[in-house]
Amino acid sequence: MPLHVPPAPAPALRSVLAALSTPAGFDEVLTPGLRALPGPKTAELPLPVHVLDRVTAGGRPPRTRLAGWRFLIRSGDRHVAAADTRLTADGWVFSHFFEGPYVAATERALRQAESLPTAYQPRLLSVPELYMLTLWLHGAVGADASAGLPAAADLLVPLAPAPPGIAAYRPHPVSELLPVMTLRLTPPTPPVPPSLAAPAA
């Protein structure tokens, strides 16, 4: 089923297009791949990037915040890089271009999501403490893409490279993956020193 890709803020898109079309001013921030490719380049598939700030035990809901909007950059018939934007006091501005495995991983996960029987709004969810990025498939397709928390029935698709023990590209309901992340992020209880342990009966 087609994904309901949310519209990006117009200033965010304009800032990326300006960075692509004015190399005299932005050549120093272009990636090597972008500098080497001739011809026009376009910004596609805008995705809001949310950051998971709080994953704790005890049943408290996680806290997320919108960190920016990401665009995949197409040259010819393939996506070759991505562009991030960020919100400042003056509005949305271009942040940086980047290449690397997450570009292809995002494209692959989006294609995979289009084959699911349920409609979703695609987002990205970053878990910095696990060095983990997921495609967040939000069930409320008409929701404001800049807000909201992962619902239990939403799907998270870890992008490669995923943390050890978490399968990349496998859709996980939030209700299943969140406890796994909680266990990984909760520090183990330190052992009780022998001097403080209860005496044996």
Side-chain angles (χ1 to χ4, degrees):
M1 185 171 289
L3 296 173
H4 292 250
V5 178
L13 176 59
R14 286 197 298 267
S15 72
V16 172
L17 295 178
L20 287 171
S21 63
T22 54
F26 289 91
D27 187 64
E28 70 277 4
V29 299
L30 292 177
T31 65
L34 285 175
R35 283 197 296 269
L37 289 170
K41 303 168 187 67
T42 57
E44 302 178 343
L45 296 171
L47 296 171
V49 182
H50 294 257
V51 175
L52 196 63
D53 276 334
R54 186 180 72 190
V55 182
T56 58
R60 290 189 300 170
R63 179 180 301 159
T64 61
R65 59 182 171 85
L66 180 68
W69 280 80
R70 178 169 297 175
F71 300 80
L72 295 186
I73 305 302
R74 177 181 291 277
S75 176
D77 60 353
R78 64 192 182 97
H79 293 113
V80 296
D84 275 358
T85 62
R86 58 187 175 87
L87 187 61
T88 69
D90 296 321
W92 289 99
V93 299
F94 169 76
S95 175
H96 62 279
F97 293 111
F98 68 92
E99 300 178 48
Y102 281 138
V103 175
T106 301
E107 185 176 20
R108 173 177 168 177
L110 287 168
R111 287 199 310 266
Q112 177 180 315
E114 288 180 340
S115 66
L116 296 173
T118 304
Y120 291 102
Q121 181 193 88
R123 306 174 173 193
L124 292 172
L125 184 65
S126 172
V127 188
E129 293 162 292
L130 292 178
Y131 301 98
M132 180 180 180
L133 183 65
T134 73
L135 176 64
W136 170 11
L137 299 175
H138 191 43
V141 295
D144 179 357
S146 66
L149 295 173
D154 287 356
L155 297 180
L156 297 178
V157 184
L159 303 184
I166 295 179
Y169 306 116
R170 177 184 170 189
H172 301 265
V174 168
S175 59
E176 293 180 7
L177 188 57
L178 194 57
V180 174
M181 293 190 292
T182 300
L183 288 174
R184 287 175 175 262
L185 292 173
T186 302
T189 303
V192 178
S195 61
L196 299 180

